Amino acid sequence: MIDFSSVKPDDILRVTDETKEHEIATSVSASMDCASPDLVKVKEVKEKSVIVVAENGTEYEFISDTEGSLKELDITGATKDFPLEARAETTRA
Amino acid sequence: MDFPNNWQRRCALTVDHTKVPINVVDAVLLLTETNVPAEMLDGGIYSSRSDGGDIRCSSDKAGTIQLAMQIVSITTGGSPALEAYVKVPLISSTVDTVYYIWYHNPIATMPLATDPYGSQACFVDFKIAYHCNKSGANNPDASANVNDGTLSGGTSDVAGKIGRAIAFNGTTGKCLSVNNIGITNGDRTLSFWVYLNNTNQNSMAGWGSNVAHGQWNACIRNLHWYLWAYGVDDWDLGISPSTGAWVYVVVTYQASTDFHRFYVNGVEQTAHGSPVTWVANTTNSLFELAHQLDGANNYWMNGSLDEVYVFDNLKPAQWVTYKYNMFNSPGTFQTEGTPESVTGSFFLMFR
């Protein structure tokens, strides 16, 4: 389970991966369709997810999960585990 | 009474991730007699109250994270039946999701609709949520918008796909929301279960007015499924609907691409092209069921509707699959564990 306790609104998150940094960053870049793909800003911290805003204004929800391959997310200097699944599409309701 | 103190029974509920092709945040899940513990509804020593007022859900086993719920209808003892909904923070597409249902607290009462764990919190993401469990001429909206429907003409209460449904007689029966829907040119999703008695021209659900691109109605026309825009760009799907069976219909519009998609029983209908493109400029109006006014002509639906939802956002194909799986087979979508007594709490009733 991801610990979101240190994440707060307006934090800048850098999406990286320990072993596949370029691949992950490229993938996130494509899905987020923005110039600096790996940088997103935290809009809202929820119980099991973080809503972030990419440079183009598009919002994404990063989901915490209990299993799955993990990549890392640098949070303004800190390092947190973050599930690879976070890049997966999500919906609501 | 503060939950979970004094609740005596608890049971894990497990959502099968293979039925959920996408992660869903704040998923509103269906509870029926097929996917909750039998003892909860049997009227026996561990049963819930007959009005379901003591049924609660939590994310965690300890009950520290309570979930918003709605009990739509319940029967305990005899032939048990349940239609209830719970908002779960996250259901995963890769691992089973476990949460907990609590019951058997004879002095508990259900939270009010407006309470933090009440029905409006459960359906907060919905523009309209009609369970079609009518009360007289009222078709209550479970969402926080409280945009109830008013029934008129020939309508009746019948067995639904889930719980009860509303039947429309095909000549005078319809339902109109109290307030305008408030969706004009933005993203939207409309979903419902329909049981058609014939394939006469009608509108099952939608809104708008008779100006070009001003209507947005899921219809039957030319004996086919049909998305009605008015004037130009109507979409005849070229596929005949089934009659005499419940069918799940979802229609979506994505404003950024102007794509319209039409799903039947979880499958996108592509025989006559999909997605179909036109600019929706739907007139803000009352939301209507079972009736179409096309110029001077009225067309009425002969059949029944159940679980009618409207969202002011786009749901992807995976959402349609997940909802279809949930409604169509609630007992395989989610399974109950072994009920257990909750230790460390008890209460005394003084007479």
Side-chain angles (χ1 to χ4, degrees):
Chain A
M1 185 66 72
I2 308 307
D3 177 13
F4 290 136
S5 60
S6 64
V7 181
K8 59 183 183 303
D10 296 329
D11 277 353
I12 301 297
L13 309 186
R14 177 182 295 277
V15 181
T16 62
D17 178 77
E18 193 171 32
T19 58
K20 298 180 180 178
E21 181 170 353
H22 177 71
E23 180 182 332
I24 295 299
T26 301
S27 175
V28 172
S29 170
S31 64
M32 289 192 167
D33 189 26
C34 54
S36 296
D38 51 350
L39 294 179
V40 293
K41 189 174 186 177
V42 174
K43 178 182 179 183
E44 182 182 356
V45 181
K46 304 178 74 176
E47 182 189 340
K48 291 187 175 181
S49 66
V50 174
I51 297 174
V52 301
V53 184
E55 284 190 345
N56 66 355
T58 305
E59 294 186 10
Y60 298 87
E61 190 150 12
F62 283 71
I63 307 301
S64 168
D65 208 336
T66 53
E67 292 185 14
S69 301
L70 297 184
K71 62 188 177 65
E72 291 186 346
L73 183 71
D74 289 339
I75 305 171
T76 55
T79 300
K80 296 289 180 186
D81 288 334
F82 216 88
L84 192 61
E85 191 185 30
R87 293 182 294 108
E89 196 175 1
T90 63
T91 188
R92 297 184 63 85
Chain B
M1 175 168 293
D2 292 337
F3 175 79
N5 297 327
N6 299 324
W7 263 259
Q8 299 180 42
R9 298 293 281 178
R10 172 180 62 201
C11 184
L13 302 176
T14 301
V15 178
D16 181 353
H17 76 274
T18 67
K19 304 294 195 299
V20 184
I22 188 171
N23 291 330
V24 185
V25 176
D26 289 340
V28 177
L29 304 184
L30 171 65
L31 301 172
T32 75
E33 65 279 5
T34 65
N35 62 16
V36 300
E39 68 170 27
M40 193 181 94
L41 300 174
D42 66 6
I45 58 172
Y46 294 130
S47 184
S48 69
R49 287 171 52 113
S50 60
D51 63 358
D54 57 346
I55 298 174
R56 300 288 188 275
C57 284
S58 67
S59 287
D60 60 327
K61 190 172 183 178
T64 56
I65 304 172
Q66 187 177 348
L67 305 178
M69 290 189 69
Q70 182 187 19
I71 306 293
V72 179
S73 62
I74 183 171
T75 302
T76 58
S79 299
L82 178 68
E83 180 183 358
Y85 297 86
V86 55
K87 188 173 74 174
V88 177
L90 170 68
I91 58 172
S92 170
S93 62
T94 57
V95 295
D96 290 351
T97 299
V98 178
Y99 66 102
Y100 296 85
I101 191 164
W102 303 64
Y103 49 96
H104 196 51
N105 181 346
I107 60 173
T109 56
M110 183 53 68
L112 299 174
T114 52
D115 283 352
Y117 303 108
S119 58
Q120 291 182 13
C122 186
F123 286 90
V124 70
D125 287 322
F126 293 60
K127 198 72 175 173
I128 279 179
Y130 290 153
H131 299 307
C132 297
N133 195 348
K134 78 184 190 80
S135 175
N138 191 42
N139 183 20
D141 175 16
S143 83
N145 298 312
V146 199
N147 195 359
D148 292 356
T150 301
L151 300 167
S152 61
T155 66
S156 57
D157 172 63
V158 296
K161 175 66 179 177
I162 301 101
R164 307 303 297 174
I166 298 172
F168 300 87
N169 68 355
T171 55
T172 58
K174 67 177 183 178
C175 176
L176 266 179
S177 64
V178 174
N179 302 311
N180 286 349
I181 188 76
I183 301 173
T184 54
N185 53 12
D187 290 352
R188 69 202 67 174
T189 299
L190 166 66
S191 72
F192 55 86
W193 284 91
V194 62
Y195 185 108
L196 294 166
N197 294 323
N198 60 41
T199 53
N200 294 348
Q201 181 174 337
N202 69 54
S203 169
M204 297 170 285
W207 68 95
S209 68
N210 283 186
V211 297
H213 292 176
Q215 294 279 174
W216 203 77
N217 294 62
C219 299
I220 306 296
R221 195 160 182 163
N222 308 327
L223 306 178
H224 298 150
W225 298 114
Y226 195 94
L227 185 59
W228 187 39
Y230 193 82
V232 291
D233 291 327
D234 296 334
W235 180 17
D236 183 336
L237 276 76
I239 300 169
S240 299
S242 299
T243 57
W246 283 103
V247 176
Y248 187 50
V249 173
V250 179
V251 188
T252 66
Y253 173 65
Q254 183 177 30
S256 61
T257 59
D258 294 321
F259 286 167
H260 294 79
R261 300 179 191 273
F262 201 114
Y263 303 84
V264 175
N265 285 340
V267 179
E268 184 177 357
Q269 303 300 294
T270 59
H272 278 202
S274 182
V276 167
T277 303
W278 77 76
V279 179
N281 191 19
T282 318
T283 304
N284 189 19
S285 72
L286 305 180
F287 179 63
E288 187 171 33
L289 305 179
H291 171 248
Q292 177 186 42
L293 176 63
D294 186 0
N297 299 313
N298 290 280
Y299 300 97
W300 306 85
M301 190 191 82
N302 187 334
S304 305
L305 290 167
D306 200 357
E307 294 306 310
V308 181
Y309 298 162
V310 180
F311 300 89
D312 59 0
N313 51 59
L314 174 72
K315 302 302 183 190
Q318 301 97 317
W319 181 91
V320 179
T321 302
Y322 131 70
K323 280 298 183 196
Y324 176 71
N325 291 340
M326 181 190 82
F327 283 128
N328 193 51
S329 183
T332 57
F333 181 85
Q334 171 178 277
T335 53
E336 73 276 19
T338 302
E340 60 184 348
S341 292
V342 180
T343 59
S345 64
F346 64 92
F347 67 94
L348 298 172
M349 291 184 69
F350 296 95
R351 295 178 184 273

